[in-house]
Amino acid sequence: MSRSGLSLGLDAGGSATKWALLRGGQVVADGVAPPLTAALLGTPAGEHNLAALVAALPGRPDALHAGMPGLSAGSGRALQVRAVLASAVGLGEPAVGVESDLDLAYRTHLGAGEGILLYAGTGSVAYHVTPAGAVVRAGGYGFKLGDDGGGSDIGRSALRQITATLDRGETPVGLLATEVGALTGGLDWDSLRAYTYADAGAAALARLAPAVGRAADAGDPEAHALLQGAARSLAELARRVQARTGPLPVTATGGAFRISSQFPALLGRELPGATVQYRDHAAAAARSAERLLDQG
C-alpha cells in the first residue's frame, strides 16, 4: 500500500493521548483524547477511553503506530496491546505497531547515542539509548515510587503545602491556594480528600500542576519554590544517567515544562547546558505508521 493512505500516530499517556493523522507525509488532522496506558487497556475505563479516541478520528486509518507507557517492544504485553488497538480501529495486526512512549520520545528528539532525554510529563525519567540499542535510564518508576519533578509530583507537592497549612490550624491563602482550590472544589480536608482519592492515580495529581505554574507566573513565592524543587529533582535524574554514560548533552521535553514560563529557565540553572525542546511525538508515531503502509 502506498502513502496515499491514512497513517495514525498515538502519543499515549497517563493524562491524555495525543493523536495525529498523516497522508502523504502531511498532518491532515490531530487532537487530544483521554488517557491510554498499557495498564489501562483491558479495563472498563480503558475501553471507554479507546472508544472515545476512535470516535474522534475523522477517518479510519490504514495503519497505526502507538507509543504507550508501560510497554517494551516485542514483549507479550506489547503483542496484546497491538491486538487490542488493531481490533478497535478495524485493522489487521501487521498494520499496527507499538512501542514504549519513551522509545518514541527518544527517537523523536535524538539519535541512538546522541544524548540524554529528560522527559517530564505526568511522570519523569532520564533516558539514553546507546548506539547498540541498550537503554540507560533513571527514574520512570511511576507516581507511587518516584516521578520526581513530573506533573504528578508537582501536584502532590502543592497538596502537601496546603495540608501542612491545615495541620498548623491555619486557612490556606494566596495565589497557589486559590488556583488549587478552583480545581479541587475547596481547601478543606474533605474536599482535598475527595479530589485526590476519587481518582487514586497520577492523573488527578498531574491536573494540579498547571495551577502551580499559573500561580508561579503570577508571582506566588510558594509556587515558585515548588517549581525550583521540581527542576532540582529532574536535574538529579539526568546526572544519574550521566554518571553512567559520561557527560552527554541533555535534551528536556514533556508537558510539565509548559506549565510555567519559568520552569525551563529553572531547569537550566539546575542543569547548565540542558535545552528544552518540543516536538510532535504523535506525528513522529504517524510517520512510523507510514512505514507500515510502505511494507503493506
Side-chain angles (χ1 to χ4, degrees):
M1 187 179 294
S2 72
R3 290 196 181 191
S4 61
L6 279 175
S7 62
L8 172 63
L10 301 182
D11 175 24
S15 295
T17 296
K18 297 177 182 178
W19 60 268
L21 276 172
L22 268 65
R23 188 189 301 275
Q26 300 298 315
V27 175
V28 296
D30 57 18
V32 179
L36 286 175
T37 66
L40 196 59
L41 284 182
T43 69
E47 292 176 3
H48 176 271
N49 291 358
L50 183 55
L53 165 68
V54 173
L57 300 176
R60 189 182 76 83
D62 299 290
L64 181 161
H65 187 87
M68 185 173 292
L71 284 185
S72 297
S75 67
R77 183 55 179 155
L79 295 177
Q80 293 171 349
V81 167
R82 181 187 183 198
V84 170
L85 293 177
S87 175
V89 296
L91 292 174
E93 290 184 29
V96 177
V98 296
E99 65 180 325
S100 160
D101 61 327
L102 296 176
D103 288 326
L104 171 63
Y106 188 92
R107 62 184 177 79
T108 300
H109 294 269
L110 297 165
E114 288 184 352
I116 297 166
L117 184 71
L118 180 59
Y119 185 84
T122 299
S124 64
V125 66
Y127 203 80
H128 172 67
V129 179
T130 71
V135 171
V136 182
R137 59 182 287 167
Y141 299 122
F143 77 104
K144 290 185 178 180
L145 294 178
D147 284 348
D148 297 347
S152 61
D153 181 52
I154 293 170
R156 180 175 54 229
S157 296
L159 290 176
R160 289 174 64 87
Q161 190 97 350
I162 290 169
T163 55
T165 301
L166 295 176
D167 288 345
R168 294 192 295 270
E170 301 170 3
T171 299
V173 295
L175 291 171
L176 177 62
T178 299
E179 289 283 358
V180 170
L183 294 176
T184 60
L187 295 172
D188 58 284
W189 172 230
D190 285 341
S191 297
L192 298 177
R193 177 173 53 196
Y195 174 85
T196 305
Y197 294 107
D199 177 8
L205 297 173
R207 284 194 292 270
L208 296 176
V212 177
R214 288 190 295 271
D217 286 347
D220 187 279
E222 292 183 335
H224 180 81
L226 293 182
L227 293 184
Q228 281 184 313
R232 194 174 303 119
S233 295
L234 292 171
E236 172 59 22
L237 289 179
R239 284 192 287 266
R240 289 179 193 173
V241 174
Q242 286 177 326
R244 299 166 62 190
T245 64
L248 291 173
V250 176
T251 298
T253 194
F257 290 109
R258 297 180 183 269
I259 66 171
S260 165
S261 60
Q262 301 177 31
F263 202 10
L266 288 171
L267 177 69
R269 292 174 197 164
E270 297 291 336
L271 192 65
T275 59
V276 178
Q277 184 181 89
Y278 302 112
R279 290 185 177 174
D280 191 337
H281 300 177
R287 285 190 285 273
S288 292
E290 282 190 321
R291 289 191 283 275
L292 294 174
L293 286 178
D294 290 342
Q295 298 167 13

